[in-house]
PDB file of all heavy atoms in Angstrom:
ATOM      1  N   CYS D 796     -20.903   8.705  -4.240  1.00  0.00           N
ATOM      2  CA  CYS D 796     -19.916   8.900  -3.185  1.00  0.00           C
ATOM      3  C   CYS D 796     -19.273  10.263  -3.249  1.00  0.00           C
ATOM      4  O   CYS D 796     -18.070  10.398  -2.996  1.00  0.00           O
ATOM      5  CB  CYS D 796     -18.891   7.798  -3.240  1.00  0.00           C
ATOM      6  SG  CYS D 796     -19.557   6.338  -2.439  1.00  0.00           S
ATOM      7  N   VAL D 815     -19.440  17.301  -4.153  1.00  0.00           N
ATOM      8  CA  VAL D 815     -18.245  17.421  -4.987  1.00  0.00           C
ATOM      9  C   VAL D 815     -17.831  16.045  -5.506  1.00  0.00           C
ATOM     10  O   VAL D 815     -17.789  15.068  -4.754  1.00  0.00           O
ATOM     11  CB  VAL D 815     -17.089  18.044  -4.169  1.00  0.00           C
ATOM     12  CG1 VAL D 815     -15.785  18.011  -4.954  1.00  0.00           C
ATOM     13  CG2 VAL D 815     -17.442  19.461  -3.767  1.00  0.00           C
ATOM     14  N   ASP D 816     -17.541  15.992  -6.788  1.00  0.00           N
ATOM     15  CA  ASP D 816     -17.029  14.767  -7.392  1.00  0.00           C
ATOM     16  C   ASP D 816     -15.522  14.893  -7.629  1.00  0.00           C
ATOM     17  O   ASP D 816     -14.732  14.156  -7.061  1.00  0.00           O
ATOM     18  CB  ASP D 816     -17.774  14.501  -8.712  1.00  0.00           C
ATOM     19  CG  ASP D 816     -17.175  13.349  -9.499  1.00  0.00           C
ATOM     20  OD1 ASP D 816     -16.393  12.572  -8.933  1.00  0.00           O
ATOM     21  OD2 ASP D 816     -17.493  13.227 -10.698  1.00  0.00           O
ATOM     22  N   GLU D 817     -15.135  15.880  -8.464  1.00  0.00           N
ATOM     23  CA  GLU D 817     -13.731  16.006  -8.860  1.00  0.00           C
ATOM     24  C   GLU D 817     -13.077  17.223  -8.228  1.00  0.00           C
ATOM     25  O   GLU D 817     -13.661  18.308  -8.193  1.00  0.00           O
ATOM     26  CB  GLU D 817     -13.641  16.185 -10.384  1.00  0.00           C
ATOM     27  CG  GLU D 817     -14.316  15.116 -11.203  1.00  0.00           C
ATOM     28  CD  GLU D 817     -13.350  14.072 -11.725  1.00  0.00           C
ATOM     29  OE1 GLU D 817     -12.122  14.250 -11.566  1.00  0.00           O
ATOM     30  OE2 GLU D 817     -13.819  13.060 -12.279  1.00  0.00           O
ATOM     31  N   VAL D 818     -11.864  17.041  -7.747  1.00  0.00           N
ATOM     32  CA  VAL D 818     -11.028  18.147  -7.286  1.00  0.00           C
ATOM     33  C   VAL D 818      -9.678  17.980  -7.977  1.00  0.00           C
ATOM     34  O   VAL D 818      -9.060  16.918  -7.883  1.00  0.00           O
ATOM     35  CB  VAL D 818     -10.834  18.132  -5.760  1.00  0.00           C
ATOM     36  CG1 VAL D 818      -9.992  19.328  -5.315  1.00  0.00           C
ATOM     37  CG2 VAL D 818     -12.175  18.133  -5.037  1.00  0.00           C
ATOM     38  N   SER D 843      -7.106  17.626   3.894  1.00  0.00           N
ATOM     39  CA  SER D 843      -7.370  16.307   4.458  1.00  0.00           C
ATOM     40  C   SER D 843      -8.724  15.797   3.981  1.00  0.00           C
ATOM     41  O   SER D 843      -9.517  16.548   3.396  1.00  0.00           O
ATOM     42  CB  SER D 843      -7.327  16.363   5.991  1.00  0.00           C
ATOM     43  OG  SER D 843      -8.199  17.366   6.475  1.00  0.00           O
ATOM     44  N   LEU D 844      -8.962  14.509   4.251  1.00  0.00           N
ATOM     45  CA  LEU D 844     -10.181  13.853   3.791  1.00  0.00           C
ATOM     46  C   LEU D 844     -10.786  13.031   4.916  1.00  0.00           C
ATOM     47  O   LEU D 844     -10.047  12.435   5.714  1.00  0.00           O
ATOM     48  CB  LEU D 844      -9.876  12.888   2.631  1.00  0.00           C
ATOM     49  CG  LEU D 844      -9.056  13.425   1.463  1.00  0.00           C
ATOM     50  CD1 LEU D 844      -8.711  12.287   0.515  1.00  0.00           C
ATOM     51  CD2 LEU D 844      -9.816  14.521   0.736  1.00  0.00           C
ATOM     52  N   SER D 845     -12.100  12.993   4.951  1.00  0.00           N
ATOM     53  CA  SER D 845     -12.803  12.085   5.842  1.00  0.00           C
ATOM     54  C   SER D 845     -13.950  11.524   5.002  1.00  0.00           C
ATOM     55  O   SER D 845     -15.073  12.051   4.996  1.00  0.00           O
ATOM     56  CB  SER D 845     -13.305  12.854   7.064  1.00  0.00           C
ATOM     57  OG  SER D 845     -13.880  11.961   7.989  1.00  0.00           O
ATOM     58  N   LEU D 846     -13.638  10.487   4.245  1.00  0.00           N
ATOM     59  CA  LEU D 846     -14.524  10.069   3.154  1.00  0.00           C
ATOM     60  C   LEU D 846     -15.804   9.403   3.632  1.00  0.00           C
ATOM     61  O   LEU D 846     -16.869   9.592   3.038  1.00  0.00           O
ATOM     62  CB  LEU D 846     -13.755   9.170   2.191  1.00  0.00           C
ATOM     63  CG  LEU D 846     -12.597   9.887   1.481  1.00  0.00           C
ATOM     64  CD1 LEU D 846     -11.797   8.894   0.657  1.00  0.00           C
ATOM     65  CD2 LEU D 846     -13.091  11.027   0.615  1.00  0.00           C
ATOM     66  N   VAL D 847     -15.711   8.629   4.701  1.00  0.00           N
ATOM     67  CA  VAL D 847     -16.919   7.971   5.208  1.00  0.00           C
ATOM     68  C   VAL D 847     -17.904   9.035   5.719  1.00  0.00           C
ATOM     69  O   VAL D 847     -19.120   8.862   5.632  1.00  0.00           O
ATOM     70  CB  VAL D 847     -16.558   6.911   6.277  1.00  0.00           C
ATOM     71  CG1 VAL D 847     -17.808   6.357   6.936  1.00  0.00           C
ATOM     72  CG2 VAL D 847     -15.766   5.754   5.633  1.00  0.00           C
ATOM     73  N   HIS D 849     -18.063  11.889   4.240  1.00  0.00           N
ATOM     74  CA  HIS D 849     -18.311  12.699   3.037  1.00  0.00           C
ATOM     75  C   HIS D 849     -17.746  14.109   3.176  1.00  0.00           C
ATOM     76  O   HIS D 849     -18.393  15.089   2.815  1.00  0.00           O
ATOM     77  CB  HIS D 849     -19.816  12.802   2.734  1.00  0.00           C
ATOM     78  CG  HIS D 849     -20.451  11.492   2.426  1.00  0.00           C
ATOM     79  ND1 HIS D 849     -20.874  11.119   1.183  1.00  0.00           N
ATOM     80  CD2 HIS D 849     -20.694  10.421   3.216  1.00  0.00           C
ATOM     81  CE1 HIS D 849     -21.377   9.902   1.229  1.00  0.00           C
ATOM     82  NE2 HIS D 849     -21.280   9.450   2.448  1.00  0.00           N
TER      83      HIS D 849
ATOM     84  N   CYS I 508     -18.367   5.018   1.581  1.00  0.00           N
ATOM     85  CA  CYS I 508     -17.817   5.882   0.553  1.00  0.00           C
ATOM     86  C   CYS I 508     -16.314   6.039   0.653  1.00  0.00           C
ATOM     87  O   CYS I 508     -15.775   7.120   0.453  1.00  0.00           O
ATOM     88  CB  CYS I 508     -18.520   7.228   0.596  1.00  0.00           C
ATOM     89  SG  CYS I 508     -20.110   7.070  -0.226  1.00  0.00           S
ATOM     90  N   ASP I 528     -10.419   5.711   4.311  1.00  0.00           N
ATOM     91  CA  ASP I 528     -11.424   6.590   4.915  1.00  0.00           C
ATOM     92  C   ASP I 528     -10.809   7.965   5.183  1.00  0.00           C
ATOM     93  O   ASP I 528     -11.227   8.957   4.624  1.00  0.00           O
ATOM     94  CB  ASP I 528     -11.951   5.959   6.204  1.00  0.00           C
ATOM     95  CG  ASP I 528     -12.852   6.899   6.995  1.00  0.00           C
ATOM     96  OD1 ASP I 528     -13.309   7.908   6.435  1.00  0.00           O
ATOM     97  OD2 ASP I 528     -13.091   6.617   8.188  1.00  0.00           O
ATOM     98  N   GLU I 529      -9.772   7.999   6.030  1.00  0.00           N
ATOM     99  CA  GLU I 529      -9.196   9.268   6.463  1.00  0.00           C
ATOM    100  C   GLU I 529      -7.808   9.501   5.858  1.00  0.00           C
ATOM    101  O   GLU I 529      -6.976   8.587   5.851  1.00  0.00           O
ATOM    102  CB  GLU I 529      -9.009   9.257   7.992  1.00  0.00           C
ATOM    103  CG  GLU I 529     -10.264   8.979   8.782  1.00  0.00           C
ATOM    104  CD  GLU I 529     -10.930  10.232   9.313  1.00  0.00           C
ATOM    105  OE1 GLU I 529     -10.352  11.327   9.173  1.00  0.00           O
ATOM    106  OE2 GLU I 529     -12.030  10.113   9.860  1.00  0.00           O
ATOM    107  N   VAL I 530      -7.587  10.722   5.403  1.00  0.00           N
ATOM    108  CA  VAL I 530      -6.249  11.141   4.980  1.00  0.00           C
ATOM    109  C   VAL I 530      -5.972  12.456   5.684  1.00  0.00           C
ATOM    110  O   VAL I 530      -6.779  13.392   5.591  1.00  0.00           O
ATOM    111  CB  VAL I 530      -6.169  11.344   3.446  1.00  0.00           C
ATOM    112  CG1 VAL I 530      -4.761  11.754   3.036  1.00  0.00           C
ATOM    113  CG2 VAL I 530      -6.594  10.078   2.705  1.00  0.00           C
ATOM    114  N   PRO I 532      -2.706  15.295   7.261  1.00  0.00           N
ATOM    115  CA  PRO I 532      -1.289  15.644   7.294  1.00  0.00           C
ATOM    116  C   PRO I 532      -0.650  15.132   8.577  1.00  0.00           C
ATOM    117  O   PRO I 532      -1.255  15.230   9.659  1.00  0.00           O
ATOM    118  CB  PRO I 532      -1.280  17.176   7.282  1.00  0.00           C
ATOM    119  CG  PRO I 532      -2.665  17.617   7.040  1.00  0.00           C
ATOM    120  CD  PRO I 532      -3.570  16.483   7.367  1.00  0.00           C
ATOM    121  N   SER I 555      -5.205  15.170  -6.138  1.00  0.00           N
ATOM    122  CA  SER I 555      -6.528  15.360  -6.730  1.00  0.00           C
ATOM    123  C   SER I 555      -7.469  14.242  -6.294  1.00  0.00           C
ATOM    124  O   SER I 555      -7.024  13.239  -5.714  1.00  0.00           O
ATOM    125  CB  SER I 555      -6.424  15.418  -8.255  1.00  0.00           C
ATOM    126  OG  SER I 555      -5.759  14.275  -8.744  1.00  0.00           O
ATOM    127  N   LEU I 556      -8.750  14.452  -6.580  1.00  0.00           N
ATOM    128  CA  LEU I 556      -9.785  13.504  -6.160  1.00  0.00           C
ATOM    129  C   LEU I 556     -10.742  13.238  -7.312  1.00  0.00           C
ATOM    130  O   LEU I 556     -11.043  14.148  -8.098  1.00  0.00           O
ATOM    131  CB  LEU I 556     -10.616  14.106  -5.006  1.00  0.00           C
ATOM    132  CG  LEU I 556      -9.864  14.684  -3.816  1.00  0.00           C
ATOM    133  CD1 LEU I 556     -10.848  15.378  -2.876  1.00  0.00           C
ATOM    134  CD2 LEU I 556      -9.091  13.601  -3.086  1.00  0.00           C
ATOM    135  N   SER I 557     -11.206  12.012  -7.363  1.00  0.00           N
ATOM    136  CA  SER I 557     -12.279  11.665  -8.289  1.00  0.00           C
ATOM    137  C   SER I 557     -13.202  10.746  -7.483  1.00  0.00           C
ATOM    138  O   SER I 557     -13.083   9.521  -7.487  1.00  0.00           O
ATOM    139  CB  SER I 557     -11.697  10.962  -9.511  1.00  0.00           C
ATOM    140  OG  SER I 557     -12.722  10.707 -10.435  1.00  0.00           O
ATOM    141  N   LEU I 558     -14.104  11.373  -6.733  1.00  0.00           N
ATOM    142  CA  LEU I 558     -14.805  10.651  -5.674  1.00  0.00           C
ATOM    143  C   LEU I 558     -15.850   9.677  -6.185  1.00  0.00           C
ATOM    144  O   LEU I 558     -16.020   8.597  -5.609  1.00  0.00           O
ATOM    145  CB  LEU I 558     -15.418  11.651  -4.684  1.00  0.00           C
ATOM    146  CG  LEU I 558     -14.369  12.512  -3.962  1.00  0.00           C
ATOM    147  CD1 LEU I 558     -15.058  13.587  -3.128  1.00  0.00           C
ATOM    148  CD2 LEU I 558     -13.468  11.662  -3.089  1.00  0.00           C
ATOM    149  N   VAL I 559     -16.537  10.038  -7.249  1.00  0.00           N
ATOM    150  CA  VAL I 559     -17.541   9.119  -7.787  1.00  0.00           C
ATOM    151  C   VAL I 559     -16.851   7.846  -8.309  1.00  0.00           C
ATOM    152  O   VAL I 559     -17.407   6.751  -8.238  1.00  0.00           O
ATOM    153  CB  VAL I 559     -18.405   9.826  -8.863  1.00  0.00           C
ATOM    154  CG1 VAL I 559     -19.328   8.848  -9.569  1.00  0.00           C
ATOM    155  CG2 VAL I 559     -19.229  10.948  -8.221  1.00  0.00           C
ATOM    156  N   HIS I 561     -14.230   6.739  -6.797  1.00  0.00           N
ATOM    157  CA  HIS I 561     -13.567   6.207  -5.592  1.00  0.00           C
ATOM    158  C   HIS I 561     -12.044   6.275  -5.710  1.00  0.00           C
ATOM    159  O   HIS I 561     -11.343   5.341  -5.331  1.00  0.00           O
ATOM    160  CB  HIS I 561     -13.987   4.752  -5.324  1.00  0.00           C
ATOM    161  CG  HIS I 561     -15.445   4.589  -5.051  1.00  0.00           C
ATOM    162  ND1 HIS I 561     -15.938   4.278  -3.814  1.00  0.00           N
ATOM    163  CD2 HIS I 561     -16.518   4.723  -5.855  1.00  0.00           C
ATOM    164  CE1 HIS I 561     -17.260   4.209  -3.888  1.00  0.00           C
ATOM    165  NE2 HIS I 561     -17.631   4.474  -5.104  1.00  0.00           N
TER     166      HIS I 561
END
Side-chain angles (χ1 to χ4, degrees):
Chain D
C796 280
V815 173
D816 172 15
E817 305 261 353
V818 182
S843 54
L844 310 173
S845 185
L846 296 174
V847 173
H849 297 252
Chain I
C508 281
D528 172 16
E529 304 262 354
V530 181
S555 54
L556 310 173
S557 184
L558 297 173
V559 172
H561 298 251

